[in-house]
Amino acid sequence: MSRADRLREALPERLAALVSTVRFGQFVSVGAVGAVFDVTTLVVLTELFGVPAAVANVVSIETAILVMFAVNERWTFAEHGATDLRSIGRRLVRSHVVRAGGSTLQYVLFVAVFYNVAVDLSVAGVDLWLVVVKGGAIGVAMLVNYVFESLFTWRVHADE
């Protein structure tokens, strides 16, 4: 019996549905795509347009959420849920509600560290400390988002 099988047997049904290395790998891959959109939007808004980092961070998070929802809908969770526009719309709303927790966590971590830990990490005039802090905050929030997106947005436990 594999380690994943033993773990799946030991966990309640909802948590067992989370133990999918394939789905988690897909979610992380989608998260990487979202992170690229998130960080790129943040850097462009702050460095090219002078938008304050706290404000630009909100826009960059929303951009990433929309991109990741679209990819998760068509790839990571493609076999979960109806495909009519109304069902997709409900999942988009649920995704935003669910990701509000992860996004809030990401935002609070970003603001707390970026504005309270001063590190000079500029390269070619670009503040890379901004990118480092953003990446760390994204990583922590990604774990929270995987659990809640799986259980509440796409309800993987209902299909397994």
Side-chain angles (χ1 to χ4, degrees), residues 21-116:
T21 55
V22 172
R23 186 170 43 245
F24 184 73
Q26 289 174 316
F27 192 84
V28 170
S29 298
V30 172
V33 171
V36 168
F37 276 86
D38 196 338
V39 172
T40 301
T41 303
L42 178 67
V43 170
V44 167
L45 290 175
T46 57
E47 299 295 322
L48 295 180
F49 294 103
V51 176
V55 175
N57 194 37
V58 172
V59 175
S60 71
I61 288 170
E62 180 61 22
T63 301
I65 286 172
L66 292 172
V67 168
M68 290 184 297
F69 176 83
V71 178
N72 276 325
E73 179 71 20
R74 294 291 179 209
W75 185 44
T76 310
F77 300 101
E79 70 278 3
H80 299 281
T83 58
D84 61 284
L85 286 178
R86 188 169 193 209
S87 296
I88 292 170
R90 281 195 305 265
R91 283 193 297 277
L92 179 60
V93 169
R94 276 197 315 260
S95 180
H96 270 78
V97 170
V98 164
R99 286 194 181 259
S103 297
T104 300
L105 175 62
Q106 181 193 135
Y107 183 81
V108 168
L109 287 172
F110 173 81
V111 169
V113 174
F114 185 73
Y115 288 110
N116 293 301

Side-chain angles (χ1 to χ4, degrees), residues 113-129:
V113 174
F114 185 73
Y115 288 110
N116 293 301
V117 179
V119 175
D120 183 19
L121 193 58
S122 294
V123 175
V126 175
D127 184 4
L128 291 183
W129 180 237

Side-chain angles (χ1 to χ4, degrees), residues 13-14 17 23 80-81 150-151 154-160:
E13 180 183 329
R14 287 179 185 251
R23 186 170 43 245
H80 299 281
S150 295
L151 295 178
W154 283 280
R155 302 172 190 239
V156 298
H157 59 283
D159 296 332
E160 301 205 358

